[in-house]
Amino acid sequence: MAQMTPATVRLKPLFTRDEIADAVRRIAAAVQRDYDDKNPVLVGVLKGSFIFLADLVRQLEMSLEIDFVRLSSYGAGTQTSGQVRLVQKVERPLKGRHVLVVDDILDSGLTLKFLMDYLARQKPASLRLCVLLVKRGQQYVPITPDYHGLQMDEGFVVGYGLDWDQKYRNLPDICVVEMDGGI
Ligand code: 5GP
Ligand code: MG
């Protein structure tokens, strides 16, 4: 008979709020140096990047604009299927602009590869990628972020904007989801 008892979920801290804040400061210093007089457009990928983007831009002392895209990928559970759809596009033309894409995490890279290719077709003056977290060795497509903060190994993380079924985005630390008894 099927096991009816729900698995016990534990959230194990992986990066504390202080470690995240240090990583955001390091990224901000590099972005400040590279984009100082370029009036860049920072394109946040909804929804996961919202806290990272908010913290990042408040450390940047320069003229900049913020826009958002929203992507949906169809897939079961915690894996991306590779089929990506653009649900919300940027509002203003990116042609000739210095565009910096800001996302929460680089996993397989499929979603961000799709987005970078889509944005490149709009002929920006420059196009770079900034992610807070990179999963080491998990990229199946050739994609390397220009700026990244933290690295992790396999596992599924939540907090600091990252969700599990739309929950846990509000956790100030980034935690690994651990389940006893499986799903
Ligand atoms: P990719 O296309 O790189 O495989 O996945 C990109 C998206 O999958 C991320 O922007 C994020 O929304 C989601 N994702 C990948 N790994 C994780 C994870 O460990 N935790 C959460 N909450 N989302 C993840
Ligand atoms: Mg995302």
Side-chain angles (χ1 to χ4, degrees):
M1 205 181 137
Q3 169 66 264
M4 299 302 287
T5 316
T8 309
V9 175
R10 270 183 294 130
L11 301 177
K12 191 177 145 202
L14 181 64
F15 298 111
T16 64
R17 62 203 79 185
D18 291 343
E19 289 170 316
I20 298 167
D22 281 348
V24 175
R25 267 194 292 276
R26 285 196 302 273
I27 295 172
V31 171
Q32 181 76 45
R33 188 190 60 219
D34 295 348
Y35 287 91
D36 198 18
D37 52 355
K38 294 194 164 124
N39 188 32
V41 185
L42 274 63
V43 175
V45 183
L46 291 172
K47 302 175 191 172
S49 71
F50 82 109
I51 294 179
F52 173 41
L53 183 66
D55 282 348
L56 179 66
V57 294
R58 282 179 294 172
Q59 306 233 355
L60 298 176
E61 292 178 21
M62 65 171 82
S63 167
L64 59 80
E65 294 172 27
I66 297 171
D67 211 327
F68 291 99
V69 289
R70 190 156 165 219
L71 299 156
S72 79
S73 57
Y74 295 109
T78 55
Q79 293 286 314
T80 323
S81 69
Q83 294 223 313
V84 186
R85 199 164 58 98
L86 198 59
V87 178
Q88 183 185 320
K89 297 179 181 178
V90 289
E91 282 180 350
R92 306 230 305 198
L94 296 178
K95 189 166 185 208
R97 300 297 306 271
H98 292 281
V99 175
L100 179 61
V101 173
V102 178
D103 204 0
D104 48 7
I105 189 164
L106 179 64
D107 185 11
S108 73
L110 291 165
T111 316
L112 284 171
K113 179 76 169 61
F114 169 90
L115 177 64
M116 298 303 278
D117 289 349
Y118 166 79
L119 295 175
R121 290 197 290 275
Q122 302 187 27
K123 305 271 184 287
S126 69
L127 178 61
R128 286 185 179 175
L129 175 61
C130 171
V131 294
L132 178 63
L133 253 171
V134 176
K135 285 194 189 173
R136 276 191 205 96
Q138 296 297 308
Q139 290 76 53
Y140 345 131
V141 292
I143 185 163
T144 309
D146 300 281
Y147 308 91
H148 75 272
L150 301 162
Q151 294 201 0
M152 61 177 280
D153 294 312
E154 259 183 295
F156 190 78
V157 287
V158 295
Y160 197 72
L162 289 145
D163 73 308
W164 183 26
D165 199 15
Q166 299 305 325
K167 299 198 176 63
Y168 304 114
R169 293 193 197 273
N170 54 319
L171 299 178
D173 303 319
I174 293 175
C175 301
V176 180
V177 178
E178 288 186 345
M179 277 186 260
D180 296 332
I183 308 174

